[in-house]
Amino acid sequence: MFRLWTPGHFTALALGLLAAIGPAEAENTGRPIGVVELFTSQGCNSCPPADAVLDELASRKDVVALAYHVDYWDYLGWRDALARPANSERQRKYAGTLQKSSVYTPQAIVNGHRDMNGANRAEVMSTLEALAGTAAGLQVDLSLEDTGDSIIVSVGSLPEGLEDKDISAHLVFVDYTPKSTVEIRAGENRGRTIQYRNAVNRIQTIGMWDGTARKFEMPRSELIQKGNGCALLLQRVDGSGLPGAILGAIALDP
């Protein structure tokens, strides 16, 4: 479930990580070519190939790649050690957005509005490339700057010609574990040891954005587990709160 935080509350989330990595590394202004969100499960025998694609994407500097482990396959005999109920809920909300009658794994969603089988490397990669630099790609710049005492998050404005008076978007914070190695001892993947990349631990909406450039300045915090990564997604939402197109993104590894 999303929780709405004000810019001041963002203090309590993201900045312990930035304090750990230091000022030089905390400055980040590059715009990724896209965001890939993979919904996966250790209990799904179709997922390891998709996990391998996500691993490849997570190694790239120009892609924000996030793995949402879901819990609805746990009954098959293996409880996914990285699953979170909130991850399954996010996928169900995407199903509403994408007008899907059900959820499935492995599902990859690119930029919040194109979905495909996450094991289909060619389709995932071609979709990323096709959307990059278009109106369906990432259009808004996000940057983080560590000044020593505080962190400044800058969110740009919509490019000229794409102004939308009715735009409604959330600034979404995502906490993830960069690498996790799991020995699967039961279920469909029994006997396999798999290294997972960028497994999402927590998702929280921390602010609202109306299409205009805005800065958030926050003091440091110690609430993020040391060693984790974080991402910020600027994502449209509809009137019922369903997630839509991702307009901008940034990620920081520890």
Side-chain angles (χ1 to χ4, degrees):
M1 174 167 44
F2 288 127
R3 178 180 177 187
L4 180 61
W5 283 52
T6 66
H9 284 129
F10 181 51
T11 306
L13 286 174
L15 309 184
L17 171 64
L18 297 170
I21 64 178
E25 293 175 274
E27 295 180 6
N28 191 324
T29 58
R31 183 193 296 178
I33 66 168
V35 177
V36 177
E37 298 175 276
L38 174 67
F39 294 90
T40 185
S41 172
Q42 294 165 14
C44 161
N45 63 7
S46 300
C47 286
D51 299 324
V53 174
L54 196 283
D55 179 89
E56 179 181 348
L57 290 169
S59 298
R60 293 175 53 166
K61 299 298 185 183
D62 61 344
V63 176
V64 175
L66 301 168
Y68 297 82
H69 287 248
V70 299
D71 59 1
Y72 51 79
W73 295 127
D74 287 358
Y75 75 93
L76 293 178
W78 176 254
R79 183 176 181 180
D80 191 312
L82 304 174
R84 303 288 186 271
N87 295 347
S88 302
E89 177 63 18
R90 181 166 175 82
Q91 188 182 25
R92 284 190 285 268
K93 288 185 175 182
Y94 266 134
T97 300
L98 299 171
Q99 298 183 336
K100 302 289 183 180
S101 60
S102 62
V103 295
Y104 69 93
T105 55
Q107 181 186 33
I109 299 178
V110 179
N111 293 354
H113 62 97
R114 297 275 185 92
D115 87 299
M116 64 219 63
N117 186 325
N120 189 333
R121 180 186 182 279
E123 187 174 4
V124 173
M125 299 300 182
S126 64
T127 302
L128 265 174
E129 296 295 338
L131 297 183
T134 73
L138 304 186
Q139 296 291 320
V140 180
D141 289 320
L142 274 66
S143 65
L144 302 176
E145 180 184 359
D146 185 350
T147 67
D149 295 323
S150 63
I151 302 297
I152 299 173
V153 181
S154 298
V155 180
S157 59
L158 279 174
E160 186 176 350
L162 294 176
E163 293 89 348
D164 184 347
K165 293 182 180 179
D166 298 320
I167 191 170
S168 177
H170 286 171
L171 188 60
V172 181
F173 171 80
V174 183
D175 171 71
Y176 62 84
T177 302
K179 293 183 180 180
S180 305
T181 301
V182 179
E183 296 179 8
I184 302 174
R185 297 185 295 276
E188 294 183 348
N189 290 313
R190 179 176 57 191
R192 303 186 68 162
T193 299
I194 302 176
Q195 178 176 279
Y196 294 100
R197 297 290 298 277
N198 295 3
V200 171
N201 303 309
R202 184 170 68 249
I203 318 165
Q204 290 183 282
T205 298
I206 57 168
M208 308 292 289
W209 182 75
D210 62 2
T212 59
R214 185 174 178 184
K215 289 181 181 288
F216 302 83
E217 183 172 1
M218 298 135 311
R220 294 173 176 271
S221 134
E222 298 296 335
L223 294 187
I224 288 223
Q225 183 178 346
K226 186 176 181 180
N228 282 7
C230 74
L232 289 170
L233 308 177
L234 186 66
Q235 186 165 31
R236 286 181 179 267
V237 292
D238 68 10
S240 60
L242 294 180
I246 295 173
L247 304 173
I250 193 170
L252 287 170
D253 285 326

